[in-house]
Amino acid sequence: MPEQYEYVPHRLLRRRVRDIASGVEGVLMTVINENVSDSAVYERWVELAYIRNASGREFTTAASNVEPAPHQPQTVAGRRDQRSA
C-alpha cells in the first residue's frame, strides 16, 4: 500500500503564523502532503498545514492559507542587539 502522506519543507516551520481563512494565529508545526481521498481508485493529495494555537490545540488549514503573523514577538537575542545599538 502506498504512503498516505509525506512531510513537506516549509519556510515558516516553528514560527508564528496566521491562517488567512480563519484569522487564527499559532505556531506552524508541520506541513504534510496528504491523500484525503476515500476512494482506492482516485487519489486526491492536499498540502495541509498543522498549526498549534495559544490553547495548545492543533488545527489544519490549506498550506496556501499560511502567512507570517503580523506581530512577531522579538527573541531575547533580538532585544539584546537593539539595546547595544
Side-chain angles (χ1 to χ4, degrees):
M1 181 170 154
E3 288 290 327
Q4 295 297 308
Y5 63 91
E6 63 184 6
Y7 291 96
V8 177
H10 196 281
R11 67 184 178 87
L12 296 174
L13 280 177
R14 302 288 183 195
R15 299 208 34 217
R16 189 150 183 79
V17 296
R18 180 176 167 271
D19 171 24
I20 60 173
S22 66
V24 177
E25 293 184 10
V27 176
L28 180 61
M29 302 308 291
T30 192
V31 176
I32 295 178
N33 190 20
E34 190 169 336
N35 181 2
V36 296
S37 174
D38 58 355
S39 167
V41 178
Y42 175 74
E43 291 186 351
R44 182 168 176 251
W45 291 84
V46 177
E47 284 192 4
L48 292 176
Y50 286 75
I51 300 172
R52 182 174 294 160
N53 65 19
S55 70
R57 298 193 74 154
E58 289 186 13
F59 65 96
T60 60
T61 189
S64 59
N65 285 347
V66 175
E67 67 180 13
H71 301 290
Q72 294 286 327
Q74 290 185 331
T75 63
V76 173
R79 279 180 267 165
R80 191 177 313 128
D81 291 343
Q82 285 181 347
R83 276 184 275 169
S84 64

